[in-house]
Amino acid sequence: MTTESQQWIWACLCSGDVLVCVGPEGISLPVGSEPPVALQPWNIVTTIADCKVVRLDRPVVDVAGMEMRGLRSTFSHLSGHEYALAGKAAELIYWDANTRYCGCCGAPMRMHTEISKRCTECGKEVWPQLATAVIVRVTRQTDAAEEILLVRANNFRGPHYGLVAGFVETGETLEQAVRREVSEETGLEISDIRYFGSQPWPFPCGLMVGFTARYASGTIHLQRSELRDAGWFTADHLPAIPDKASIARQLIDSWLEEKLSFYKIL
């Protein structure tokens, strides 16, 4: 049961940026019984637990103690709970914008539950859909050292290198998707595929499923439509790698920690 004085977390987003409070103790999502800025009824998309999901019509500027920041850049500043809420809000806003009309009859859709819509004419119900992708850390052992396969994709915004990744296709398992993506993008064959972990990826609505694998055979042949470079790297000679917001970094850091532990034992 809620009251008018209930304290809400306000996840307010506009074009991929999230509204945050900035103060001496860091940044956080706004909290209060009232919206942090003036809103119209259509701005509030839905409510998830104690969080109001808000799509702003325009960025908030010139408001003391508040500013808009890129969602991904807030990973290291917001608490884990608040970052997860902001990410889920971003996905729900994207879903809401892309499901305004029924895909069967074309009539307007209306919110039915906190995370579902129902057609106003035919009654068809829809829920937010995830785009499932796999990402894999491939390593190999040489006479000199163990190496990790790193790639630079054409769509990377910075000069960093990451891991082979791609979307799961209809009718294939996650492991099949891992094998296919590595083969298609680099020409390599892999073995010993093992699950590592998963991560919501709200850019805009993905679920990244991480794996590790071992090199089996082949030489690197780039799929130029996807990659601009790829290579094998040792732990002490790495290029720029992804930031800590991504599961790619978690996979790479885990490998580096394994190498450090190994050398400590020696």
Side-chain angles (χ1 to χ4, degrees), residues 124-163:
K124 178 179 175 60
E125 293 188 49
V126 296
W127 289 263
Q129 293 185 333
L130 291 175
T132 306
V134 292
I135 184 167
V136 56
R137 182 188 77 202
V138 180
T139 56
R140 71 175 185 181
Q141 184 67 51
T142 69
D143 292 338
E146 188 173 65
E147 299 174 326
I148 186 171
L149 175 67
L150 297 178
V151 302
R152 189 176 177 201
N154 294 331
N155 62 359
F156 284 179
R157 295 182 180 179
H160 66 276
Y161 283 64
L163 303 175

Side-chain angles (χ1 to χ4, degrees), residues 3 35 38 103 126 133 168 227 240 245 266:
T3 66
V126 296
V168 180
L227 304 180
L266 291 180

Side-chain angles (χ1 to χ4, degrees), residues 139-190:
T139 56
R140 71 175 185 181
Q141 184 67 51
T142 69
D143 292 338
E146 188 173 65
E147 299 174 326
I148 186 171
L149 175 67
L150 297 178
V151 302
R152 189 176 177 201
N154 294 331
N155 62 359
F156 284 179
R157 295 182 180 179
H160 66 276
Y161 283 64
L163 303 175
V164 172
F167 290 106
V168 180
E169 294 183 355
T170 302
E172 68 179 356
T173 67
L174 297 174
E175 292 80 4
Q176 288 170 337
V178 169
R179 290 183 186 277
R180 175 181 54 76
E181 286 293 341
V182 173
S183 178
E184 287 179 353
E185 294 190 5
T186 68
L188 302 177
E189 299 301 321
I190 57 175

